[in-house]
Amino acid sequence: MLSGIIRESISKANTKTLRKNGYLIANIYGKGKENIHCAFKRNDFVREVKKKTDLIFDVEVGTQKYPVVIQEYQKDPVTSEIIHVDLMLAQKGIEAKYSVKVRTIGTPKGLKNKGVLMMSKKRIKVKSAPENLPKDYEINVSNLDVGDVVLVRDLPPFNGVKIVERDDVAIVGVIKSR
């Protein structure tokens, strides 16, 4: 489990010192809860995020454990290192917006007809309570030929999950290569 420290001061000087010491600045927030200003060791955070299998993962800040979701992160424009992350509390029974990963399975038959598989969306925005959240949207692309697309409306419905994307947005398709 990822563990972090609570930031006593949110001043620029304090933030700069933490970053210099290898920490990633983070904020944890949730509906009806007070914001928690914290910091995690950057390498530990990246390692934990890479090995997680679900959208929701647990972090320990101080003596408390929190189920969180990465909502947004900021990178340094020069070094591309992550410098700040916003974590949203995954509170049971409270609906919130999440970005669920799209995963394709199979090989499209259109690849034999000089087609190329194009992923237009890697994540789908949904509104749901954390307990109803799907791990990912799995799309079988085996039957896609050149010119075929899978739209948002073609996704399988999940109980208690509302997709907040437009219905006519393409997720994945096979286009003719040049």
Side-chain angles (χ1 to χ4, degrees), residues 48-145:
E48 187 72 25
V49 167
K50 282 185 179 177
K51 77 176 185 181
K52 74 182 178 76
T53 56
D54 286 337
L55 196 61
I56 300 170
F57 63 104
D58 290 329
V59 296
E60 186 178 339
V61 178
T63 58
Q64 297 274 49
K65 288 183 183 175
Y66 301 101
V68 295
V69 175
I70 297 174
Q71 199 65 10
E72 190 177 348
Y73 59 89
Q74 296 164 357
K75 287 185 171 185
D76 184 283
V78 177
T79 63
S80 290
E81 274 187 349
I82 296 175
I83 55 173
H84 179 89
V85 67
D86 283 338
L87 302 171
M88 183 176 67
L89 284 172
Q91 299 167 295
K92 290 222 183 292
I94 296 179
E95 280 193 350
K97 288 184 181 170
Y98 299 98
S99 293
V100 179
K101 191 183 270 183
V102 173
R103 191 167 52 91
T104 60
I105 56 168
T107 306
K109 64 182 180 185
L111 294 185
K112 293 178 185 167
N113 300 332
K114 296 185 179 170
V116 177
L117 184 69
M118 276 292 289
M119 282 285 288
S120 302
K121 289 197 129 326
K122 292 187 188 321
R123 296 187 174 273
I124 300 292
K125 286 187 175 43
V126 298
K127 189 171 187 175
S128 167
E131 56 269 16
N132 299 333
L133 206 58
K135 184 177 176 182
D136 56 21
Y137 277 102
E138 188 175 89
I139 300 173
N140 189 345
V141 294
S142 302
N143 296 327
L144 294 183
D145 204 351

